[in-house]
Amino acid sequence: MIDFPTDDGCRWSVLVRDIDSEQVLLQHSPERVLSTASIGKLFLLHRILTEVDAGTRSLDELVTRLPSDVIGGSGLWQKLQQDALSIYDLAALVGAVSDNDATNALLRVVGIDAVREHARELGYQHSRLNDAIRWPIPPGHPSRLSEANASEMVDFVSRLQLDRDLSPGSGDIFRKWLGASADMSMVASVFDFDGLDHDCFDGGVWLWNKTGTISTVRADVGVAMGRSRRVAYAVLAEWDAGADARGPVLETMAEVGQLIGEAIGWQDPRPKRSAARAAAVPAVASVSASVSAADARAAIAAAANDAALRDVRYLVLDGDSGAPLLERSPDEPSPSASVMKTVTGTLALANLGADHRIPTRVVRAGDTEAVLIGGGDVTLSRTATGEPTFYPHPAHLDALADQLRTNMPGLKRLLLDDELFAASQWHPTWDPAGRSPENYIPFIGALQVDGDRDDPLMDDSARSENPVGRVAAGLGALLGDVDIARGSAPEGAGDEVARVQSAPMTELVREMLRSSDNALAEALVRLVAIARGGDASWDSLQREIRAAVADLGLDASGCEFVDGSGLSEDNRLTPRFVAELLRRGYLGEEPFASLVPLLTVSSQTMSPARFTGANRVVGNSVRAKTGFINSVHSLAGIVTTRGQRNLVFAVFACDLDTPVDREARLAVDRLVTALHLHGDALE
């Protein structure tokens, strides 16, 4: 496992993926959007070659350097006498040494608007070149030269390697430009390449890449190829202004390079480094045809009896027949942790519908007064429309403000109504430290923005004591002199004058399971209770969850449903209840079948802290939901064996007296790994 340091506010977005099989080899917050310095210049080069393919641009066209192009910094043109170079040569300078003067000259010819639009046309919502290079940055110009996330940049370089957007000739030119990159200080540092000369196999590796560097950023994006495998990567790091995290960041980037090298069959030529690496990485577990069924079952039993599992309860079922294959206390209730979100997601899909979108509405309350009614969409964002947030595809406050300016130009007063969830904003068993400093849950209000995060891009970001106040501040900046206050919609409120809506329920449930977002889970379970005729009080929530579960034909004997997120230590689920829910999804029964594809997948969308070291052997064969609170490490899902048998499992490594630790989590992973390796022998 690679440990991504977070000192100095360091934030990472990382993805390493096989181009041909699309197997994810490493990921860490791949959707997080960060400043990327010069990485955005890739879209300029791509736009130029797109115009060449369209016949509207010639690479032989000469461009004369103007005083306005000169900015200095990285580059060689500033040191050359020649004031006129071809577009090809300027692009080669950008690819090789990230030449700033050449970049500005090319942007003057091509146009920054055309480059921005080109990134959008390629399908990238969060990755872009924002401006020409300016210093100091004038007022009104973007503070970030470029920004991106690892997910989109890996898609970009994969498509480039596969010639999916450019002609083969233009794709080859692009790769030659980047194959001359002189910056080998980051991911590529382990390969001991000569700068400017890695556009060929050298030591069994062929690599092309683009890097980005400013005082708070190190970013490296590219493709590394061995003789039989090619891997796309994006490793992006940004840290706080005034800090210097270069050492830990570059060290970690080199670790990613080591992982990539091993994946493509590279042999490290440095004997001391190679020996240290071999000693640090445990041997990957394997199974051979010579392993007897008895030995395979013994290996599973050893993992299932590991003392690190504490007071464990589990059930393993054959997915097709439903036959129990392995069990311990399967009807003993356990604290659920976030495995509870499998229940919440199923109920949301069943009772609200896969296509349902959560509305945030504004209704007229008079000629100059309106009421904004929170509908429970915690993903609503205060960022500008089109700008990145933690949640994918959110609604935005500025869209509401635009509608209000159009539909109520005389608006003088806007009331904010967050009363829908007022009866259950905080459960007494939740730890207040979850708001701050641990930053994993806000007050559950029906009107808030970005899950009430201080930083709308960060998962664990401090939450406030007044989520509605954050909404008021956002709207105040957008609406100017409109008086904004807390209030409620009066009886007989007028017609609707503005509305925005969340992403569809399927996407909300997917995000809840991926990031284990507690605010989203709690909002969804309240909307389920209300849709069933209850309200958002705790008593009503608990009644409606139990009734909804019964309506789906699930036996909830021994279960206790306290909240929708699993945060409460008082939630109780049995392994049998969870395994049956998941098995019905595996068999294709709705609404369970709609939930199963949304579960996280090992080595892809699951937390990078899971199935590390020797347990990496599972690859992408585990689809599951993780969970952790002080009393339990839980994991429930479907694991595919080496013989392609599908096993449904629910494991609760529980201890009601002493908080569980990392060893319990690792023991859970080892048990599921044993099921993958040896589960064909279970009967």
Side-chain angles (χ1 to χ4, degrees):
M1 174 185 175
I2 293 175
D3 182 23
F4 292 93
T6 57
D7 292 344
D8 298 317
C10 195
R11 304 172 293 282
W12 294 84
S13 182
V14 178
L15 183 61
V16 180
R17 189 172 68 199
D18 186 292
I19 290 176
D20 299 293
S21 71
E22 298 189 352
Q23 178 189 2
V24 173
L25 307 179
L26 178 70
Q27 64 173 349
H28 182 87
S29 301
E31 306 299 331
R32 176 181 287 163
V33 180
L34 299 175
S35 175
T36 53
S38 292
I39 295 295
K41 296 173 184 177
L42 290 169
F43 295 115
L44 168 62
L45 301 183
H46 199 278
R47 173 68 188 193
I48 289 169
L49 289 171
T50 300
E51 293 181 5
V52 170
D53 283 344
T56 59
R57 180 80 59 193
S58 169
L59 293 176
D60 295 329
E61 178 184 345
L62 289 179
V63 177
T64 299
R65 176 169 47 193
L66 300 181
S68 58
D69 299 328
V70 177
I71 187 65
S74 64
L76 284 175
W77 198 15
Q78 60 187 303
K79 303 180 186 301
L80 303 180
Q81 290 183 327
Q82 184 60 257
D83 279 329
L85 293 174
S86 69
I87 286 178
Y88 183 101
D89 289 342
L90 292 174
L93 286 174
V94 173
V97 294
S98 202
D99 197 293
N100 287 337
D101 293 2
T103 299
N104 282 353
L106 290 172
L107 280 172
R108 175 168 49 82
V109 171
V110 176
I112 184 62
D113 289 339
V115 176
R116 290 174 184 152
E117 181 59 29
H118 186 64
R120 287 192 290 268
E121 288 173 350
L122 289 171
Y124 302 123
Q125 298 182 7
H126 306 300
S127 303
R128 60 180 71 89
L129 179 65
N130 288 319
D131 202 359
I133 302 155
R134 310 174 194 272
W135 190 258
I137 299 174
H141 286 269
S143 60
R144 291 174 162 182
L145 174 62
S146 77
E147 54 200 346
N149 63 28
S151 180
E152 291 185 344
M153 294 316 301
V154 163
D155 181 77
F156 176 83
V157 296
S158 296
R159 286 161 60 174
L160 184 58
Q161 183 63 39
L162 295 168
D163 289 328
R164 288 187 174 164
D165 301 298
L166 298 173
S167 67
S170 288
D172 188 54
I173 290 170
F174 200 132
R175 293 187 291 271
K176 286 183 182 299
W177 289 337
L178 300 186
S181 172
D183 188 358
M184 298 285 103
S185 66
M186 303 184 206
V187 172
S189 64
V190 299
F191 299 122
D192 298 338
F193 289 136
D194 292 331
L196 301 170
D197 188 24
H198 46 90
D199 191 26
C200 58
F201 278 115
D202 183 355
V205 179
W206 186 325
L207 182 138
W208 54 262
N209 73 317
K210 179 76 187 78
T211 61
T213 301
I214 54 175
S215 62
T216 57
V217 168
R218 290 296 184 273
D220 192 348
V221 174
V223 169
M225 295 168 281
R227 298 291 180 180
S228 60
R229 194 177 196 187
R230 31 189 198 175
V231 169
Y233 70 87
V235 184
L236 317 176
E238 180 182 11
W239 56 89
D240 292 343
D244 189 353
R246 284 178 295 176
V249 164
L250 292 175
E251 187 175 51
T252 304
M253 286 182 151
E255 287 188 76
V256 177
Q258 287 274 2
L259 181 146
I260 292 170
E262 292 168 6
I264 62 177
W266 166 72
Q267 297 296 315
D268 191 339
R270 298 191 186 186
K272 292 181 181 179
R273 185 174 64 184
S274 182
R277 176 80 174 171
V281 179
V284 173
S286 62
V287 65
S288 70
S290 63
V291 174
S292 69
D295 287 343
R297 287 192 290 270
I300 293 174
N305 291 313
D306 190 331
L309 291 169
R310 307 284 186 95
D311 182 17
V312 68
R313 301 98 193 257
Y314 54 74
L315 178 63
V316 180
L317 304 175
D318 182 279
D320 294 304
S321 71
L325 303 173
L326 188 72
E327 62 182 58
R328 175 181 291 179
S329 305
D331 298 307
E332 182 72 21
S334 169
S336 67
S338 286
V339 165
M340 180 63 197
K341 293 181 174 79
T342 62
V343 182
T344 298
T346 301
L347 299 187
L349 293 167
N351 291 273
L352 301 173
D355 297 326
H356 177 71
R357 297 173 183 261
I358 305 171
T360 302
R361 305 181 300 122
V362 181
V363 297
R364 192 185 302 272
D367 291 340
T368 61
E369 184 171 299
V371 183
L372 190 159
I373 304 173
D377 179 14
V378 301
T379 72
L380 178 68
S381 184
R382 66 189 185 275
T383 64
T385 295
E387 292 298 308
T389 79
F390 173 73
Y391 297 112
H393 313 301
H396 291 265
L397 281 184
D398 63 0
L400 272 178
D402 288 346
Q403 293 177 50
L404 278 173
R405 280 190 288 266
T406 299
N407 298 333
M408 283 193 73
L411 180 68
K412 298 297 183 185
R413 181 173 171 81
L414 180 65
L415 299 179
L416 306 182
D417 183 343
D418 73 330
E419 295 181 357
L420 187 62
F421 295 166
S424 59
Q425 290 190 324
W426 193 264
H427 196 273
T429 61
W430 294 351
D431 185 352
R435 293 196 299 279
S436 182
E438 295 179 21
N439 310 328
Y440 55 79
I441 189 170
F443 282 116
I444 307 303
L447 179 59
Q448 58 183 269
V449 286
D450 305 301
D452 195 39
R453 292 171 171 85
D454 275 359
D455 184 336
L457 284 171
M458 295 290 290
D459 186 0
D460 293 335
S461 180
R463 319 300 171 106
S464 75
E465 298 297 304
N466 180 18
V468 177
R470 206 188 293 276
V471 178
L475 285 168
L478 292 165
L479 294 174
D481 59 358
V482 174
D483 179 32
I484 300 174
R486 202 162 184 161
S488 57
E491 286 287 332
D495 57 320
E496 186 174 287
V497 292
R499 168 189 284 250
V500 293
Q501 298 184 120
S502 71
M505 188 56 56
T506 295
E507 295 308 310
L508 295 179
V509 173
R510 185 194 308 277
E511 177 59 26
M512 176 190 68
L513 297 174
R514 183 197 69 81
S515 61
S516 207
D517 192 81
N518 296 303
L520 189 48
E522 292 299 334
L524 296 186
V525 81
R526 284 155 180 72
L527 293 175
V528 167
I530 292 167
R532 293 179 58 83
D535 57 37
S537 68
W538 288 112
D539 287 344
S540 177
L541 286 179
Q542 292 153 17
R543 284 195 306 272
E544 294 301 335
I545 294 172
R546 184 167 292 279
V549 163
D551 288 349
L552 293 174
L554 289 169
D555 181 0
S557 300
C559 297
E560 295 293 336
F561 306 108
V562 175
D563 58 32
S565 61
L567 279 176
S568 174
E569 298 275 359
D570 293 343
N571 285 295
R572 292 291 185 273
L573 298 180
T574 67
R576 191 178 305 279
F577 171 81
V578 176
E580 183 58 26
L581 182 156
L582 294 171
R583 180 172 176 266
R584 289 171 69 175
Y586 167 73
L587 293 175
E589 181 181 340
E590 292 292 356
F592 313 99
S594 293
L595 178 89
V596 167
L598 308 181
L599 296 169
T600 58
V601 179
S602 55
S603 84
Q604 295 185 5
T605 52
M606 195 176 291
S607 165
R610 304 309 296 256
F611 296 100
T612 60
N615 297 319
R616 256 193 246 165
V617 71
V618 300
N620 62 356
S621 66
V622 181
R623 183 180 292 274
K625 180 70 192 84
T626 61
F628 166 67
I629 52 177
N630 282 337
S631 56
V632 71
H633 270 295
S634 53
L635 187 67
I638 299 164
V639 56
T640 303
T641 69
R642 289 195 163 189
Q644 300 303 299
R645 184 185 192 186
N646 290 305
L647 308 180
V648 178
F649 67 89
V651 182
F652 297 85
C654 176
D655 194 325
L656 300 180
D657 299 319
T658 304
V660 296
D661 54 16
R662 175 177 178 270
E663 290 306 312
R665 186 194 76 211
L666 294 174
V668 171
D669 288 357
R670 287 194 293 268
L671 174 54
V672 176
T673 299
L675 293 174
H676 166 68
L677 292 171
H678 307 293
D680 294 308
L682 290 174
E683 54 187 24

